[in-house]
Each structure stands twice: as structure tokens, then as C-alpha cells.
Amino acid sequence: MGYYDQNYEQNNSKQKGNRGGLFLTALVGAALGALIVIFTIPILLKYDILPYNLIPKGPESNQTTVNGTGNQQEIIQSQVNVNIISGVTEAVDKVSDAVVGVINIQETGFWNDTSEAGTGSGVIYKKEKGKAFIATNHHVIAGASNVEVSLSDGTRIPAQVLGSDEMMDLAVLQIDGDRINTVAEIGSSENVRVGEPVIAIGNPLGLEFSGSVTQGIISGVERTIPQDLNGDGQPDWQAEVLQTDAAINPGNSGGALVNIQGQVIGINSMKIAEQAVEGIGFSIPIDMAMPIIEDLENFGEVRRPFMGVGLRSLNEIPSYHWQETLKLPKQIDEGVFLVNVVPNSPAAIAGLKELDVIVELDGEPIADVLELRKHLYIEKNIGDTMDVIYYREGKKYKTQMHLVGENTF
């Protein structure tokens, strides 16, 4: 028993000695680590390696003397400045004053009283010779007897409608330029990429929310939206638009879609307003809009090539008439037939007649009226010659048509 107790005490003493040695070693290691940190921090600061700054610089430092227990202590008070200026706020500051409200005023009642039929947005894109020019949507000013513009400071001034185009949903207004100090910078929509950040600026739900800003991304490019312009249930045109998830609500129409550089890359035009759909807005690409805007400004209308025909697609009528009425070969199931031909028009001069069926233009197959208009209005210009392949009474013919402007016909 004595041997066991002696052995136990010797082992216990050894364990205590080991624990004491480990504690001393840890204490020395911590002290050395602290010294290394103290001596290396100035070197790291000197070469700006640390991700933060421990020493206040320049005017942001302020020395204050505080009287404590009789000893003067120098306390350095550093001010932390948070930079809240970002690319988004810079872009908004650059263009926001160039986005205005557009008020549609219409006559109502027997006494020709007037009332505000609706409001939208517009973009000041040019100032010249004391006048300022505003791009907006056709549907914003449609049916107006008078139009007013609300500037960013709330001032309302009368506007003159220089021209409007229903097909592209664009219009141009002119106002006195004395109060205009900011003109939007026009960018390019050619190289816009999906995922690129964008900002929508306008007046959603009325002037009380004027200058509202929403942010999002480009969700899609070269989207096509069928448009029924005459209300017959058939699409008359396909608008090519940019898709964005930046919120675009009623009243945003005519406002600016802006890139992160503060450049206008689109004119906001439409929003899918279905109960189950959110975050889908559309904007007319600025590269497509500007030629239309320039025509409206300079000529009061869009100068498009003119054929002088009434058109219907084959797919709009029963297939029974394809052979029985139009006498088409059975293999022809796409094309556009002529409802009427205006006398002395380019089509009449080219020899086309009522019930002729156009199937090709310049070697490109034409399936319906949308494709014909797209080729005519986008691929061709006034003064161009266009090759036409058509069928008449079951026979295939080819002719050339010299295109003119409608206003010169």
C-alpha cells in the first residue's frame, strides 16, 4: 500500500509538471505572436496590404485634448465616410430631369369642356434654336385635343404634337426650351446583352409619382409582340422590343429605359398586365426608335415605302378559296393576296391586279401580311426597286416594283 501511494504521488507530480510546462509554452507563444502582429502591422499598412485602414488620413482626422485625471490624453477621432454614390444613382442623376410627364387633354361634353384623359411620360432628347423635343408613345397622346408637359420641378407648359406613328407607338412633341436645362444622352441598343442592368424612369399611375425609378436587368432582346392596330382580331404588325424586369406600370409609357452609363437605350411602351405575370415589361430599342422619331420631327410622319395595295394573308380565309377562288396550285399554302390595287400606284404600274397572290419578295418567301410589311418597311427604302413573285389564275409571274413614298404618290 505504501509503494502504491508513493508511485501515485510521483506520477501525479509529473503530470502537474507537464501541465505547467504546456501553459508556460502557450503563454510564451501568445506573447511572441502579439509582438509579431504589433511589429508587422505598420509594414502591412505602409504597403496597403490590409483590406481596411487603421490610421485616419488627411482632413478626416481630428485631434482633441481631453482633461481626465490631470493628464492630457490625445484622442484621435476618425470619421467614417460611407460612399453612397453608385453607378445607379449617377445614371439617374444624369437623366432624370430629362424625363417629363405628358398630359393628354381631351374635349368632353356639349360645351367643349376639357379634362385630363390620361398621363404618360416622355424623354427630352434634343434642344435646338430655343425649342426642346420630346419622344413619347403614340397611345399616350392619341385622341388629345391639347397636350401639356410637366417638367421635373412640376411646372406645366403646353406642347405641340409634331407627329405620331401608331405602328411603332411613337410620337414627338415640341415645347419652349427656356426652362429646359437637361437633355438625355441617347445611347445604342445594338449591343445590349441579356442580364445587363437597366433603369426605368417615368411617372407610374400619374404625376403624383413623377420621376419614379425602378431597377432591373435586360430579360430578353429581339422579342416580337403582335399588334392588332385596327381591332379586327388579326395582327397588323410585330413590334420588336427589349424585355426587362424593371417595373413598368401604366404612366411609365413613353419614359426612358437607361443603361448604367445613364444613356437612353429604349422608350418604354408596353406591359403585360395579366394576373399571373409579374416583372415583364417592354421597351422600344432606341436604334429602331430614333429613325422614326427623326421622321416625325422633320416631316410629321414616318416616310415608308408605299405599294398601293390592300392585303390579306392566305391563312385568314378558308383553304377552300385557295384553289376555287384564287386558283392556286395545291402546293401553295402561304402568301398574301391583294384585296385591291390603287390606280397608278407602284403596284398597278408593276402590273399587279386584285386577287394576285404574292409569295416572294426579293427572293425571300412571304408567308403572311406581317412578313410582307416587315420586308417592305425594314429592308426597303423609298426609291428602291423590289422583285415580286406572284400567282395569277394558277400561273407564276415575276415583276419589279419601284417604291415611292405615300406622301409623294
Side-chain angles (χ1 to χ4, degrees):
M1 188 72 174
Y3 172 78
Y4 175 80
D5 291 342
Q6 185 180 2
N7 230 9
Y8 174 79
E9 288 178 4
Q10 288 177 352
N11 290 337
N12 192 33
S13 177
K14 287 180 181 180
Q15 289 176 358
K16 288 181 179 178
N18 289 339
R19 286 199 297 269
L22 289 173
F23 175 76
L24 181 61
T25 302
L27 183 62
V28 171
L32 289 174
L35 289 173
I36 292 171
V37 170
I38 291 171
F39 285 108
T40 56
I41 281 179
I43 298 173
L44 296 175
L45 287 173
K46 179 179 178 181
Y47 292 99
D48 200 22
I49 296 175
L50 290 177
Y52 43 79
N53 189 6
L54 298 178
I55 301 177
K57 299 178 182 179
E60 296 179 4
S61 299
N62 184 30
Q63 292 183 344
T64 305
T65 300
V66 178
N67 293 323
T69 60
N71 297 325
Q72 290 187 344
Q73 297 178 348
E74 187 177 68
I75 300 177
I76 300 176
Q77 297 177 336
S78 62
Q79 298 176 348
V80 179
N81 292 330
V82 179
N83 184 7
I84 61 172
I85 298 176
S86 66
V88 173
T89 57
E90 288 177 353
V92 172
D93 290 342
K94 183 177 179 180
V95 74
S96 60
D97 284 348
V99 179
V100 299
V102 178
I103 303 100
N104 183 323
I105 300 173
Q106 298 184 10
E107 293 182 355
T108 58
F110 178 78
W111 303 106
N112 293 328
D113 295 332
T114 59
S115 64
E116 294 181 7
T119 60
S121 306
V123 181
I124 303 171
Y125 68 91
K126 178 180 176 181
K127 182 179 176 182
E128 184 179 81
K129 297 179 180 179
K131 300 294 183 181
F133 299 87
I134 299 168
T136 186
N137 289 146
H138 164 83
H139 75 263
V140 169
I141 56 90
S145 54
N146 293 291
V147 174
E148 290 185 356
V149 166
S150 176
L151 304 181
S152 59
D153 62 1
T155 303
R156 290 175 60 154
I157 57 178
Q160 176 188 356
V161 179
L162 296 184
S164 181
D165 185 68
E166 182 180 14
M167 186 172 293
M168 286 294 292
D169 195 24
L170 289 168
V172 172
L173 312 177
Q174 178 182 283
I175 60 174
D176 186 271
D178 290 345
R179 294 177 176 267
I180 304 304
N181 299 313
T182 304
V183 175
E185 180 182 347
I186 303 300
S188 174
S189 54
E190 181 180 1
N191 297 317
V192 170
R193 299 177 60 187
V194 173
E196 178 178 339
V198 288
I199 306 156
I201 306 177
N203 308 310
L205 307 179
L207 297 178
E208 60 269 27
F209 297 105
S210 63
S212 292
V213 176
T214 56
Q215 184 184 8
I217 61 170
I218 293 292
S219 306
V221 297
E222 297 181 353
R223 301 295 200 211
T224 54
I225 307 297
Q227 292 182 283
D228 179 11
L229 303 177
N230 56 15
D232 65 354
Q234 296 293 329
D236 303 296
W237 182 246
Q238 281 188 328
E240 186 173 309
V241 293
L242 299 173
Q243 180 188 338
T244 178
D245 67 348
I248 298 175
N249 297 289
N252 274 112
S253 292
L257 190 70
V258 180
N259 62 17
I260 204 67
Q261 287 78 39
Q263 301 168 326
V264 178
I265 60 170
I267 303 296
N268 298 327
S269 180
M270 294 170 286
K271 179 177 174 64
I272 294 181
E274 296 181 11
Q275 196 171 11
V277 177
E278 292 184 6
I280 301 181
F282 298 102
S283 186
I284 304 168
I286 200 64
D287 288 352
M288 297 184 66
M290 285 310 297
I292 305 299
I293 290 169
E294 289 169 359
D295 267 5
L296 294 174
E297 177 191 331
N298 295 319
F299 307 109
E301 62 182 3
V302 180
R303 300 196 302 172
R304 294 188 175 97
F306 174 70
M307 290 176 60
V309 294
L311 303 170
R312 287 192 70 182
S313 303
L314 282 182
N315 57 24
E316 294 181 44
I317 62 173
S319 58
Y320 167 84
H321 290 289
W322 297 357
Q323 283 81 45
E324 296 300 319
T325 305
L326 301 174
K327 311 297 183 185
L328 288 172
K330 290 184 178 180
Q331 72 270 20
I332 303 300
D333 57 5
E334 291 184 334
V336 176
F337 69 94
L338 308 186
V339 177
N340 66 311
V341 178
V342 178
N344 298 318
S345 66
I349 294 172
L352 293 175
K353 296 181 179 180
E354 184 179 333
L355 299 185
D356 286 349
V357 180
I358 296 175
V359 294
E360 285 185 24
L361 294 177
D362 295 323
E364 295 183 11
I366 299 298
D368 52 32
V369 172
L370 286 177
E371 289 192 2
L372 185 147
R373 285 178 176 154
K374 186 175 181 180
H375 182 89
L376 183 65
Y377 297 152
I378 296 177
E379 304 294 332
K380 311 301 291 187
N381 295 306
I382 294 172
D384 287 352
T385 298
M386 183 169 66
D387 293 331
V388 182
I389 301 293
Y390 65 98
Y391 281 88
R392 178 186 297 166
E393 297 290 335
K395 295 182 180 180
K396 186 176 181 181
Y397 296 92
K398 180 177 181 179
T399 186
Q400 279 194 333
M401 187 184 304
H402 181 72
L403 300 171
V404 301
E406 186 173 4
N407 58 343
T408 61
F409 170 67

